[in-house]
Amino acid sequence: MGKSVNPDLAKARSQATFDPANLTNYLYGGPEKLRRKRYLPAFVFKELCTEMSLTDLCLIFLGLLTHVSDYLGLTLSIENMAAKEYKEEGFKSTDDMSREEAYEESMRRAVYTNKRVLQLNLQDQEEQYYFREIFVPGANPFALHYVMFKDAINTQGTEDQIQKWLPLAETYAVTGTYAQTELGHGTFLRGLETTAEYDVQREEFILNTPTITSSKFWPGALGKTANVAILNAKLITKGRNCGMQSFWVPLRHLETHQPLPGITVGDIGPKFGYHTSDNGFLQLNRVRIPRENMLMRYSKVLQDGTFVPPENDRLVYVPMTQFRFVVIGRSGWTLAKAVTVATRYSAVRRQSEITPGGGEVQILDFQTQQHKLFTQIASAYAMIIAAKAAKDLYDSAFSKMEKGNLEDLPMLHALTSSMKAFNTWEMATGVEQCRMACGGHGYLLASGIPQMYTDMVSACTYEGENTVMCLQAARFLNKCQEAANKGERLPQLTRFLQTSRLNISSSLDQDVDLNDIIAAYEFRAATVISEANARLNAGLAMGKSQSEAWNYASQLLVKAALAFSHWFTVRALIENMRGAGFDNSTETLLLQLAKLYALDGMLRYSGDFRKVG
Ligand SMILES: CCCCCCCCCCCCCCCCC/C=C/C(=O)SCCNC(=O)CCNC(=O)[C@H](O)C(C)(C)COP(=O)(O)OP(=O)(O)OC[C@H]1O[C@@H](n2cnc3c(N)ncnc32)[C@H](O)[C@@H]1OP(=O)(O)O
Ligand SMILES: Cc1cc2nc3c(=O)[nH]c(=O)nc-3n(C[C@H](O)[C@H](O)[C@H](O)COP(=O)(O)OP(=O)(O)OC[C@H]3O[C@@H](n4cnc5c(N)ncnc54)[C@H](O)[C@@H]3O)c2cc1C
């Protein structure tokens, strides 16, 4: 079955002034990674789609080779193709299913992909993700298992604990979740009420959710899927509260999957999106676990109940920081998918005339449609590239941390917190703009865009509510501003607070200089951070306490964190586009895209930029 390309789409593509393969290779990390990424889904569909002819498959494969943008769209049609041919009970779209049926269908697909990942020995996390994403396009019931559950074991467990537990997770002998949030507290971790009291006689912890508000509430996979949790609770030993620690807590019987004694678990009910994730609740009624079940990489409880504190009590937060990086990256790719669908649609949708009597035009010809979409294409590239830049910083800092050097932890926390907030808010706005750019058809679930929005917009809340994350980043930025005020040495990432000057050479009648763009964003960030610091100090001068003055300045502090992230993103985009070794035509285009992104940002935040001249 040959798949003919719509002539309007073909025409639009034929006008490209660059070779998409250059970009695709860059975005996916090189030709070999890209080949693997494309091979995996085609391999699976060939295996699954009993009646799909080899010709079809070659067409798919060729289709994947030509246009990355088309790849995503084609993926959706492959999935539909597979929908008819799926070998087992049939591969049905979950759009028309009840929540129960949708969960079961997603679970069926996820279990299939889990088995195949093991049989194919796919070690690389990205390859695993690509393989799964095709088959479980919405929320994957195993998402917590794949990421936070295993990351917590790897980052909080001792070597012995990793040796013991990680193989169980890797082979799905257990299915895990990360249970931290409670009904009464999600943001304020020091307010968590679940207790883990050490019984020195039996060398066990007694886990308890003493109040209704202490019930664990929200963790993914808790409703039905998970049989073990990495659970965060307040450690009490020798009568002393030793703060939040992590514990390996069996929840359900490994054979019968029934809740274990003292455990009450269930699903929290329908949500705005993320329908195929069974977010759940958990109550613990004096459940006992052995002392060895506390994750003791950084802090320990000795047999006699002595608490050995961590070198830094923030190390228990590392799994959240790690996952914020995943969210930062996924935000850009989610927007990339949405704007790919909307742009392809805009090439094939003909509606209205530009010239009366001239016939209906491709809606992509309207300037307003181009503005809606091209700014989002630019934003998707900016977020993907800034996420790579942030991850490079993270990797270098994390390798130092693993050797015990924690000096970069505050910078890392500030960067992940602010970028997670910035990227997810920008993604949410951008995906919604793409949906609306498709008119009525964008409102159809079949377009794929509504689910992208309803699933991923939750990232503005989970992993640290965005406002709270901005305020966390602002703590670091404000400290840096105070140090700058005293002429002290600053961390590399914030030295611009001392050096940024506004000496723009560009004039309005010439093409703007890219260095001027970076300077403008840097100066805007420095100015907003300085203003927030001044507001905080003004609050103190008015006699407010430190916390009251913080609250008094908090709106500006949030703006400071977002201005910092915007600068980091613009700088990463321009510097990576200039240094990526593209051929001239591709580099020219990408720098145009970078300018579009930066100048659109100046228009959207024109108050800031006009204020700083
Ligand atoms: C293409 C390939 C991709 C590969 C893989 C992709 C797969 C996955 C795809 C996507 C799948 C999607 C699945 C998503 C499922 C959803 C999962 C969601 C999980 C969760 O939501 S888990 C729960 C998250 N909860 C939170 O984040 C809670 C937020 N609250 C807090 O962190 C804290 O309460 C606080 C930070 C807000 C406040 O902390 P505290 O009370 O201690 O008070 P302070 O503000 O005074 O902070 C004290 C000092 O500690 C520092 N600090 C705080 N946090 C950290 C940290 N994380 N790291 C380092 N330092 C930290 C503060 O800065 C303070 O220090 P200071 O020096 O005094 O400033
Ligand atoms: C889809 C989804 C999946 C999730 N998965 C998990 C999971 O697997 N495991 C898990 O443990 N948790 C999970 N969560 C819970 C998530 O981590 C929390 O919802 C999140 O941390 C926010 O906490 P909260 O819900 O208590 O909101 P709140 O903190 O109550 O936020 C409500 C409002 O209060 C404001 N606010 C709160 N504190 C401050 C402050 N200090 N300063 C200014 N404003 C403030 C916020 O900005 C927000 O506007 C998930 C949530 C969702 C939506």
Side-chain angles (χ1 to χ4, degrees):
M1 174 204 86
K3 184 180 181 295
S4 64
V5 177
N6 174 293
D8 282 335
L9 197 53
K11 184 184 105 190
R13 287 178 178 152
S14 67
Q15 291 160 0
T17 58
F18 67 100
D19 177 357
N22 295 337
L23 278 186
T24 316
N25 284 324
Y26 172 77
L27 286 172
Y28 287 107
E32 180 50 24
K33 277 201 153 195
L34 175 63
R35 188 190 65 76
R36 290 283 298 168
K37 172 175 176 356
R38 287 174 164 167
Y39 168 74
L40 291 169
F43 167 85
V44 175
F45 285 113
K46 177 172 179 292
E47 179 180 69
L48 281 177
C49 299
T50 45
E51 292 158 31
M52 183 186 287
S53 73
L54 197 58
T55 318
D56 291 342
L57 204 79
C58 291
L59 276 175
I60 286 174
F61 204 68
L62 286 172
L64 298 185
L65 288 178
T66 49
H67 291 280
V68 66
S69 56
D70 188 39
Y71 166 68
L72 295 165
L74 202 51
T75 306
L76 298 178
S77 59
I78 291 178
E79 183 187 337
N80 294 334
M81 230 184 269
K84 292 194 303 294
E85 316 299 345
Y86 187 50
K87 195 183 284 185
E88 294 174 19
E89 298 100 70
F91 187 110
K92 306 173 284 298
S93 162
T94 56
D95 289 348
D96 282 332
M97 290 182 187
S98 70
R99 197 162 70 88
E100 187 82 16
E101 291 164 338
Y103 166 78
E104 285 167 8
E105 172 63 15
S106 293
M107 178 54 83
R108 191 166 67 85
R109 299 183 195 180
V111 167
Y112 172 78
T113 54
N114 291 346
K115 285 178 190 164
R116 296 302 283 131
V117 163
L118 290 175
Q119 288 161 357
L120 297 168
N121 192 28
L122 288 184
Q123 300 280 335
D124 180 89
Q125 194 188 48
E126 282 198 2
E127 289 191 358
Q128 291 178 7
Y129 179 74
Y130 293 140
F131 191 84
R132 292 184 184 114
E133 193 194 29
I134 296 284
F135 268 83
V136 194
N140 188 316
F142 284 84
L144 266 294
H145 178 90
Y146 300 138
V147 200
M148 293 197 79
F149 178 69
K150 291 200 284 189
D151 285 349
I153 296 168
N154 272 319
T155 59
Q156 309 293 309
T158 63
E159 286 313 313
D160 288 348
Q161 289 174 327
I162 293 171
Q163 296 301 325
K164 181 169 73 169
W165 291 331
L166 202 57
L168 298 177
E170 297 288 3
T171 58
Y172 302 98
V174 300
T175 306
T177 183
Y178 182 84
Q180 173 176 285
T181 302
E182 297 175 356
L183 184 65
H185 292 94
T187 288
F188 189 58
L189 296 186
R190 280 181 285 154
L192 291 182
E193 299 172 79
T194 301
T195 54
E197 198 166 352
Y198 185 63
D199 173 353
V200 69
Q201 304 307 321
R202 293 175 52 175
E203 294 189 22
E204 292 174 335
F205 294 105
I206 303 166
L207 297 172
N208 203 33
T209 50
T211 60
I212 184 71
T213 50
S214 63
S215 309
K216 291 300 178 185
F217 196 91
W218 272 109
L222 199 49
K224 289 189 170 77
T225 310
N227 46 36
V228 176
I230 297 295
L231 179 131
N232 288 344
K234 221 170 19 182
L235 167 66
I236 295 167
T237 177
K238 295 188 174 185
R240 192 164 67 92
N241 173 3
C242 302
M244 186 175 90
Q245 307 298 328
S246 298
F247 301 85
W248 170 283
V249 182
L251 302 173
R252 292 182 168 95
H253 191 284
L254 294 187
E255 299 302 325
T256 67
H257 207 60
Q258 290 307 306
L260 296 171
I263 300 267
T264 307
V265 278
D267 188 282
I268 62 173
K271 305 182 287 285
F272 179 68
Y274 232 55
H275 303 306
T276 51
S277 168
D278 54 318
N279 299 81
F281 66 84
L282 163 68
Q283 292 173 328
L284 300 150
N285 182 7
R286 304 190 65 71
V287 172
R288 285 179 172 271
I289 57 174
R291 182 177 67 91
E292 294 74 21
N293 279 30
M294 175 175 151
L295 280 73
M296 297 202 205
R297 187 188 197 97
Y298 297 115
S299 46
K300 296 175 177 36
V301 171
L302 307 182
Q303 285 174 296
D304 68 355
T306 304
F307 176 64
V308 180
E311 187 188 333
N312 180 318
D313 59 4
R314 294 145 205 187
L315 287 165
V316 71
Y317 291 152
V318 165
M320 290 183 283
T321 301
Q322 268 193 324
F323 192 59
R324 284 170 193 148
F325 266 108
V326 171
V327 175
I328 290 165
R330 295 320 304 155
S331 302
W333 284 106
T334 300
L335 179 56
K337 275 202 281 191
V339 74
T340 296
V341 172
T343 305
R344 293 177 73 233
Y345 177 76
S346 300
V348 302
R349 174 72 168 177
R350 285 183 172 271
Q351 194 68 201
S352 311
E353 298 177 333
I354 290 179
T355 309
E360 291 195 87
V361 299
Q362 293 164 282
I363 56 176
L364 197 52
D365 288 346
F366 291 112
Q367 183 85 37
T368 49
Q369 191 78 358
Q370 291 176 16
H371 184 264
K372 288 173 193 174
L373 298 176
F374 296 175
T375 51
Q376 296 313 324
I377 292 175
S379 183
Y381 272 92
M383 286 201 267
I384 290 168
I385 287 158
K388 289 175 192 275
K391 186 73 172 55
D392 293 345
L393 268 178
Y394 173 84
D395 289 342
S396 66
F398 202 70
S399 61
K400 283 163 72 176
M401 276 162 50
E402 288 188 313
K403 299 179 185 101
N405 178 344
L406 303 180
E407 66 179 356
D408 289 345
L409 193 57
M411 175 278 290
L412 214 48
H413 174 46
L415 182 67
T416 48
S417 300
S418 58
M419 287 295 287
K420 181 266 184 189
F422 179 78
N423 273 20
T424 52
W425 268 330
E426 290 288 295
M427 174 271 300
T429 310
V431 170
E432 182 58 356
Q433 178 150 305
C434 293
R435 184 191 65 75
M436 290 190 278
C438 296
H441 300 336
Y443 196 68
L444 277 174
L445 290 183
S447 74
I449 300 179
Q451 182 175 335
M452 288 181 210
Y453 182 82
T454 55
D455 280 356
M456 270 307 277
V457 74
S458 54
C460 296
T461 304
Y462 67 58
E463 223 32 76
E465 198 281 327
N466 278 1
T467 305
V468 173
M469 290 297 100
C470 287
L471 292 168
Q472 279 295 302
R475 288 177 72 107
F476 171 76
L477 297 171
N478 187 60
K479 281 192 185 129
C480 291
Q481 183 61 56
E482 289 289 344
N485 297 344
K486 297 170 194 157
E488 294 168 4
R489 182 173 166 75
L490 295 184
Q492 174 62 39
L493 195 60
T494 54
R495 269 194 206 132
F496 69 86
L497 293 177
Q498 292 169 315
T499 60
S500 179
R501 297 291 176 271
L502 193 64
N503 49 4
I504 301 288
S505 58
S506 301
S507 62
L508 287 179
D509 60 358
Q510 72 184 77
D511 194 8
V512 65
D513 178 288
L514 290 163
N515 293 322
D516 285 345
I517 287 181
I518 295 175
Y521 272 84
E522 187 177 88
F523 192 73
R524 176 248 189 153
T527 304
V528 178
I529 293 166
S530 167
E531 281 179 354
N533 174 257
R535 173 110 173 151
L536 184 65
N537 290 327
L540 293 171
M542 290 154 71
K544 293 179 186 292
S545 68
Q546 179 66 33
S547 50
E548 287 165 344
W550 182 264
N551 195 29
Y552 174 70
S554 52
Q555 192 54 27
L556 266 182
L557 290 163
V558 168
K559 275 193 68 177
L562 293 173
F564 168 76
S565 294
H566 211 169
W567 158 73
F568 182 88
T569 301
V570 166
R571 184 184 70 160
L573 177 63
I574 291 172
E575 289 181 352
N576 281 280
M577 289 302 91
R578 276 197 292 217
F582 289 114
D583 60 274
N584 283 341
S585 64
T586 305
E587 179 170 297
T588 302
L589 175 101
L590 288 171
L591 292 177
Q592 268 183 319
L593 204 63
K595 283 179 195 170
L596 173 62
Y597 176 75
L599 297 176
D600 179 56
M602 286 183 181
L603 286 173
R604 289 193 294 144
Y605 297 92
S606 53
D608 284 357
F609 286 92
R610 292 194 62 78
K611 194 172 12 170
V612 301

